[in-house]
Amino acid sequence: MLRSGSVWGNTVSLPTWQEYMTRVHEGLPGEPFPAAPAPTATAAGDAVEKGKVPDVGGMPIEQARAALEAAGYSVRIEQAPHGEIGAGHAIDTDPPAGTELPEGRPVVIRESSGEE
């Protein structure tokens, strides 16, 4: 019941809507919302830009592969020695990060095998 005084959305419309929806859904089975789709992101949490080779240098090789595949590229991995980047991490890519490249094209990740 509405009495004199301030009226806010939650004092009249919310209880009315709640009562209406409760009656409408009587006897219906409850269903959870579907899961949200997984975001396309790199290990750093940045969104992957389609059509541009992402910078994966320094990432663990599986994260680097996932970022490139999320950007739409096929991936090939080549081993190379590197004195500063530890084994199992991406050194760089060919073509280099930032290169505009159509989806579906191959990108090579140079994976560090450790020091020379």
Side-chain angles (χ1 to χ4, degrees):
M1 295 290 151
L2 182 61
R3 296 188 176 104
S4 62
S6 298
V7 177
W8 304 95
N10 65 348
T11 57
V12 176
S13 25
L14 178 62
T16 303
W17 181 251
Q18 185 175 14
E19 181 180 342
Y20 171 79
M21 293 306 291
T22 300
R23 287 184 183 179
V24 166
H25 288 99
E26 281 180 5
L28 295 176
E31 293 183 26
F33 285 106
T40 302
T42 64
D46 300 328
V48 174
E49 185 178 342
K50 298 278 187 172
K52 189 178 274 189
V53 177
D55 183 5
V56 298
M59 286 184 186
I61 200 67
E62 288 309 314
Q63 288 179 348
R65 176 192 294 273
L68 286 164
E69 288 175 347
Y73 302 114
S74 64
V75 177
R76 191 176 83 225
I77 299 173
E78 293 180 355
Q79 296 284 318
H82 198 281
E84 295 178 20
I85 296 178
H89 287 74
I91 299 169
D92 58 14
T93 58
D94 181 26
T99 301
E100 291 188 16
L101 187 70
E103 292 180 51
R105 301 289 300 272
V107 174
V108 175
I109 302 173
R110 289 193 317 135
E111 177 184 6
S112 176
S113 59
E115 292 189 36
E116 296 181 58

